[in-house]
Amino acid sequence: MKPDLFQAPDYYNIDDLLSEEHKLVRNAARDWVKRDVTPIIEEYAQKAEFPTQIIAGLAEIGAFGPYIPEEYGGAGLDQISYGLIMQEIERGDSGVRSTASVQSSLVMYPIFAYGNEAQRKKYLPKLASGEWMGCFGLTEPNHGSNPSGMETNFKDKGDHYLLNGAKMWISNAPFAQVAVVWAKNEEGRIHGLLVERGMEGFSTPETHNKWSLRASSTGELIFDNVKVPKENLLPNKSGLGAPLGCLDSARFGIAWGAIGAAMDCYDTALRYSKEREQFGRPIGQFQLQQKKLAEMITEITKAQLLAWRLGTLKNDGKATSAQISMAKRNNVDMALKVAREARQMLGGMGISGEYSIMRHMMNLESVITYEGTHDIHLLITGLDVTGLNAFK
């Protein structure tokens, strides 16, 4: 087991833009990752298994609903704090960050924002503490980038709803106690339903044979005439804008998280370049290796500034969906390119589990696709700047 020697790059003194609370929150998450994640994550990725023993630690550092008010079990932090926590967790592993951001942005957020007081009090404290884990059911076998075409549906049966359909590529599904499921009613209107494990006809088969996010638990949600109590419908928002609002929060966290993966790859490559010698000198002394490192730190710095500015906008309630989309697309693309360059710098060792780079690179192939693909986010920006809809 290699020691975690990570040193976070901060080329533009971005720490000066953070409050003392931001730094305390960030450092607590960083210390936890060094202690509880990096020593074990390679083993769990190799086994394709999620380390369930870290759930309590994620709760302790405030990774579950950090911006949810304290009265519901959250930490009551701001959006930059949320971003910094996601950055540090993804520095450890994208799959672990997926577990945390699904719980926060795709489960706790819609219950808080779209649910009623009884739903908030019933679910949020259990989710914040990690006693319960949740998942988010939007993507379907036939509908990914076009969620409005969903086939999952529910019918009003008087004293309950009858839910049928299926969702796939669902993080946390195999062990979640509650699922926030998006389905169409008989008029074709999209609503959110809270489906609990144990409801008859509800199953969550696990997805196997993944080459990416191997330390994350992924599955399906199957609904076969599931009777859902009427009080489990989220009452305060419906239509496609409801799940998309959750995705905005998740994408914001990803924009920060991807920076963490990039930072880890850069830091690993930088350290390796000073230690590895060829032709009688450290490889970091060669021009092409310095070019790679210089470009990595430049792109990481740009992404840090983009995320920080987006965080200030989100704190002020001014961040648009399109701005969040741009940051998600840019920062994940940046991280994937940094991972690929770092992998090359390590040569053959770059594919070894002795280093984190190849794991990050494989994980980021999923991150660049989920919560809106790279190309879909490009078209969202295109629509925003031209006013012309390429989706129709």
Side-chain angles (χ1 to χ4, degrees):
M1 187 183 298
K2 294 188 67 170
D4 186 342
L5 303 175
F6 174 72
Q7 291 184 299
D10 185 12
Y11 201 74
Y12 260 40
N13 298 330
I14 293 168
D15 265 19
D16 292 348
L17 301 173
L18 304 178
S19 70
E20 288 306 310
E21 182 178 63
H22 290 150
K23 286 182 273 193
L24 284 170
V25 167
R26 190 266 318 275
N27 292 344
R30 182 172 294 170
D31 292 344
W32 177 78
V33 167
K34 284 196 172 195
R35 185 184 69 245
D36 289 358
V37 178
T38 51
I40 65 166
I41 201 64
E42 297 295 345
E43 175 191 352
Y44 278 86
Q46 292 285 352
K47 294 191 298 185
E49 182 182 327
F50 175 72
T52 55
Q53 70 270 26
I54 68 172
I55 288 174
L58 284 166
E60 286 172 13
I61 63 168
F64 297 150
Y67 49 79
I68 298 293
E70 292 181 62
E71 64 182 294
Y72 301 114
L77 299 171
D78 73 349
Q79 293 294 320
I80 291 177
S81 294
Y82 170 50
L84 288 166
I85 293 170
M86 294 303 107
Q87 172 187 285
E88 295 306 313
I89 295 174
E90 191 146 0
R91 203 280 295 181
D93 186 76
S94 300
V96 177
R97 195 269 309 141
S98 293
T99 297
S101 58
V102 165
Q103 183 90 333
S104 296
S105 292
L106 301 183
V107 182
M108 297 179 71
Y109 173 79
I111 293 172
F112 174 70
Y114 310 151
N116 57 36
E117 191 66 9
Q119 291 166 341
R120 294 185 193 114
K121 288 180 176 176
K122 177 180 178 181
Y123 293 102
L124 292 178
K126 290 181 179 179
L127 292 164
S129 69
E131 178 186 348
W132 276 31
M133 295 299 292
C135 63
F136 177 86
L138 181 63
T139 300
E140 298 187 355
N142 296 323
H143 302 282
S145 294
N146 178 28
S148 64
M150 71 172 63
E151 298 167 43
T152 300
N153 65 89
F154 65 97
K155 293 180 170 58
D156 191 331
K157 294 298 181 180
D159 62 345
H160 66 273
Y161 299 119
L162 199 64
L163 177 66
N164 282 282
K167 306 290 183 177
M168 70 182 305
W169 302 120
I170 309 302
S171 295
N172 301 356
F175 57 69
Q177 281 80 25
V178 61
V180 176
V181 178
W182 301 96
K184 288 181 177 176
N185 66 10
E186 289 157 284
E187 289 74 46
R189 184 74 175 175
I190 294 171
H191 289 266
L193 297 167
L194 300 172
V195 182
E196 295 184 24
R197 184 170 299 282
M199 289 182 176
E200 188 175 352
F202 176 40
S203 58
T204 59
E206 187 164 4
T207 302
H208 297 288
N209 299 321
K210 299 181 298 177
W211 287 114
S212 181
L213 297 180
R214 288 173 60 84
S216 176
S217 186
T218 309
E220 301 173 57
L221 304 177
I222 308 296
F223 314 106
D224 182 9
N225 288 322
V226 179
K227 292 182 179 179
V228 180
K230 285 199 165 180
E231 60 265 26
N232 284 31
L233 182 136
L234 296 174
N236 292 335
K237 192 171 178 67
S238 64
L240 188 59
L244 294 184
C246 307
L247 293 178
D248 274 352
S249 182
R251 290 164 178 168
F252 173 80
I254 292 168
W256 283 84
I259 297 170
M263 290 164 67
D264 195 58
C265 292
Y266 165 78
D267 181 65
T268 301
L270 176 63
R271 188 175 298 106
Y272 189 85
S273 75
K274 297 176 181 179
E275 297 169 353
R276 173 69 169 173
E277 292 191 1
Q278 290 290 281
F279 306 103
R281 53 180 166 159
I283 63 171
Q285 195 170 336
F286 290 97
Q287 289 183 2
L288 287 178
Q289 306 309 311
Q290 290 194 6
K291 175 181 184 291
K292 287 182 171 66
L293 291 166
E295 289 177 342
M296 285 183 207
I297 191 59
T298 300
E299 294 307 312
I300 288 170
T301 300
K302 287 156 65 175
Q304 288 173 317
L305 290 166
L306 189 65
W308 174 81
R309 177 56 182 155
L310 184 63
T312 63
L313 289 170
K314 206 161 189 310
N315 278 340
D316 293 338
K318 296 178 180 178
T320 67
S321 295
Q323 288 170 333
I324 294 169
S325 180
M326 174 186 281
K328 190 271 184 183
R329 177 182 177 272
N330 179 83
N331 290 7
V332 179
D333 183 59
M334 173 279 299
L336 193 50
K337 288 175 179 174
V338 166
R340 288 170 177 161
E341 290 290 275
R343 209 290 306 157
Q344 288 197 60
M345 287 188 66
L346 267 68
M349 292 307 295
I351 69 164
S352 166
E354 187 176 348
Y355 294 92
S356 61
I357 293 173
M358 193 69 178
R359 175 172 50 81
H360 282 306
M361 195 164 82
M362 292 192 301
N363 285 342
L364 289 164
E365 289 290 350
S366 288
V367 181
I368 205 168
T369 295
Y370 69 29
E371 315 289 0
T373 69
H374 184 73
D375 292 344
I376 288 292
H377 285 298
L378 189 76
L379 296 180
I380 291 171
T381 303
L383 169 62
D384 198 48
V385 299
T386 66
L388 303 172
N389 192 343
F391 296 102
K392 295 180 180 179

